[in-house]
Amino acid sequence: MLAWTVDHSSPSHLSLREVPDPVPGPHDAVIQVQAFAPNHGDLEGLPSLPDGTIPGWDAAGVVVAEAADGTGPRLGQAVTSLGPGSAWAQRRLVTAESVGITPAGADPNAMSVVPVAATSALRGLRRLGPVLGRRVLVLGGTSAVGLFAVQLAARSGAEVVATTRNPAARERLVALGAHEVIASPSDLSGDVSGVLDLLGGSHLVRAFARLAPGGTLVALGHAAGEEERFGYGDLFGDANRHDRSLTTYFLGAETGLGPDMTWLATEIHEGRLDPAVTAVRSWQDLPHAFAAGAQRSYGKIVLTVDRTRP
Ligand SMILES: NC(=O)c1ccc[n+]([C@@H]2O[C@H](COP(=O)([O-])OP(=O)(O)OC[C@H]3O[C@@H](n4cnc5c(N)ncnc54)[C@H](OP(=O)(O)O)[C@@H]3O)[C@@H](O)[C@H]2O)c1
């Protein structure tokens, strides 16, 4: 089969080449990949992966061989699947644990954004507990995860505040359900009950300072690429600041994701959740689509996997 593999001799750290088909273990089904959606973390991690690695966390496709032990998705079923690794290829191994079933007729491009972006938003928000009637800050509202978090938090009854450095993105965030859009946590007019943080660094520290008693900040992403430095007093508790917590998060350590991925796929297919796919391109364009200086817009760039050689 053809796959994008890590190749440090190439400026993109990638080359599309012929590799052996994956060999399924007893619990593995094989899917024919139809579309995949690279993530911030996939692209950042390329320079540190060994040559020959097939990268990528999420891919949507169709089952072409069932698992020998009878578990997992059935032959011909359309699924969306979660990594780690091996997504940027014509075929991929999946287990019962790593797939969501996608509705009949669903667009594989839209389905490919479910595993990392949408599922991280859903699971990260759950860490905040009930948000009905509470004020929630999505730090990094325009990130792929943030665009889902804004929608899901609003649907859960939260009063959503989202951040972006870009004033032109305000309208988009409001359309997705944000009640208020600000440039940074320093602009918050009052406290918040929960924070879903996709940025880290000084943003995290300033957002933690605005947490109401009993509030939680979920440190999910670190897109700002900065250190977090708490000063003396930042972690004090008093009448207005007691019982605040900060928790780290890793999607790869979450369990039982299948039903959540299936639900998210259905919500997208039935139009209740915007997949925020901003461009669909051939997978052969992968290095160009993400090259430094390539035009970017907020949301996901999805690559469709065709069978032609480059
Ligand atoms: N823990 C996990 O399991 C997990 C799972 C998924 C993702 N993540 C992490 O979550 C983060 C978001 O991922 P993503 O794929 O959603 O990101 P993304 O789509 O690449 O978006 C990043 C956003 O961050 C903002 N940003 C970038 N640099 C910034 C800076 N210096 N200061 C302030 N804002 C900045 C930008 O928003 P504006 O231009 O609008 O300001 C941009 O929209 C990443 O760190 C990723 O690795 C972690």
Side-chain angles (χ1 to χ4, degrees), residues 38-41 44 116-117 120 140-146 163-166 169 183 197-199 203 219-226 249-252 298-300:
N39 296 291
H40 186 105
E44 277 212 330
V116 170
S120 294
T142 56
S143 67
V145 178
T163 70
T164 174
R165 295 166 301 175
N166 179 4
D197 176 20
L198 290 321
L199 301 180
H203 309 272
L220 199 152
H222 306 275
E226 294 171 1
Y249 174 93
F250 176 50
L251 178 66
Y298 295 125
K300 301 290 292 189

Side-chain angles (χ1 to χ4, degrees), residues 269-294:
H269 178 61
E270 294 184 358
R272 290 184 291 274
L273 199 55
D274 184 338
V277 171
T278 54
V280 177
R281 301 185 51 173
S282 163
W283 73 322
Q284 294 171 31
D285 293 339
L286 171 55
H288 306 117
F290 294 97

Side-chain angles (χ1 to χ4, degrees), residues 194-213:
V195 180
L196 192 71
D197 176 20
L198 290 321
L199 301 180
S202 60
H203 309 272
L204 180 154
V205 175
R206 282 178 283 143
F208 192 80
R210 306 313 303 262
L211 261 188

Side-chain angles (χ1 to χ4, degrees), residues 218-256:
V218 179
L220 199 152
H222 306 275
E226 294 171 1
E227 281 182 10
E228 287 87 25
R229 285 177 189 268
F230 285 94
Y232 181 70
D234 284 350
L235 300 178
F236 280 7
D238 56 32
N240 298 316
R241 296 182 294 173
H242 72 280
D243 200 21
R244 297 171 298 161
S245 52
L246 190 164
T247 182
T248 54
Y249 174 93
F250 176 50
L251 178 66
E254 297 274 318
T255 57

Side-chain angles (χ1 to χ4, degrees), residues 31-36 59-62 86-87 89-92 305-306:
I31 67 165
Q32 185 80 38
V33 176
Q34 295 173 310
F36 60 81
V62 174
S86 79
Q90 287 179 313
R91 280 177 284 288
R92 179 190 213 190
V305 180
D306 44 63

